[in-house]
């Protein structure tokens, strides 16, 4: 059973940066897709960014339109970590951020929660104006 633990959340002023990390134990990240989701108070959990486990096309990172150009996701299979570099943060980025991992090797990056088998407990990101 894979366990995921997020870290790196905190409070930052608008325009600032944060780097979130998700560290896994109990299993491998090889060929598995990993993503970050976020959930703001009173809202549904939404897809933020994902990286494909198997890359056929040369482009393996995918982003929600709201964060494209500001956030960057990367996956280190050796260290079983997934990071999310967040730059130019806005107050509307305030949410609990969760990392997620598929159970099986895949080239797809699901945008919905049901596509993932493992979840972390979340880390709070607060962006003040």
């Amino acid at each position: 059973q894979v366990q995921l633990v997020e870290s790196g959340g905190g409070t930052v002023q608008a325009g600032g940066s944060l780097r979130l990390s998700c560290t896994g134990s109990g299993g491998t990240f090889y060929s598995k897709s990993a993503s970050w989701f976020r959930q703001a108070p009173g809202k549904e959990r939404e897809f933020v960014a994902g990286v494909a486990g198997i890359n056929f096309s040369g482009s393996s990172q995918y982003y929600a339109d709201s964060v494209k150009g500001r956030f960057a996701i990367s996956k280190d299979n050796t260290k079983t970590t997934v990071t999310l570099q967040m730059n130019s943060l806005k107050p509307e980025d305030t949410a609990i951020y969760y990392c997620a991992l598929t159970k099986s090797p895949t080239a797809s990056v699901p945008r919905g929660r049901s596509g993932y088998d493992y979840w972390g407990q979340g880390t709070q990101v607060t962006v003040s104006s």
Side-chain angles (χ1 to χ4, degrees):
Q1 182 79 2
V2 174
Q3 294 187 337
L4 304 175
V5 178
E6 301 97 337
S7 61
T11 300
V12 64
Q13 288 191 330
S17 298
L18 282 174
R19 184 177 179 88
L20 304 183
S21 293
C22 173
T23 302
S25 61
T28 179
F29 278 26
Y30 282 104
S31 300
K32 297 173 184 178
S33 293
S35 291
W36 287 91
F37 285 71
R38 67 186 181 188
Q39 188 166 15
K43 295 189 176 181
E44 295 290 319
R45 192 173 298 188
E46 64 175 1
F47 172 84
V48 174
V51 55
I54 300 172
N55 182 16
F56 294 124
S57 65
S59 176
S60 65
Q61 288 92 13
Y62 302 88
Y63 300 93
D65 288 343
S66 59
V67 306
K68 202 170 293 183
R70 300 188 297 123
F71 290 11
I73 187 171
S74 61
K75 180 160 72 83
D76 185 327
N77 293 319
T78 303
K79 297 181 180 178
T80 60
T81 59
V82 181
T83 60
L84 184 68
Q85 178 65 43
M86 306 187 296
N87 300 323
S88 302
L89 283 162
K90 305 175 181 180
E92 51 264 42
D93 295 318
T94 295
I96 299 174
Y97 284 70
Y98 300 88
C99 67
L101 185 73
T102 62
K103 184 176 183 179
S104 301
T106 179
S108 69
V109 178
R111 300 323 196 251
R113 297 177 61 174
S114 62
Y116 298 87
D117 303 280
Y118 305 112
W119 291 84
Q121 83 291 346
T123 185
Q124 177 70 47
V125 171
T126 302
V127 184
S128 60
S129 57

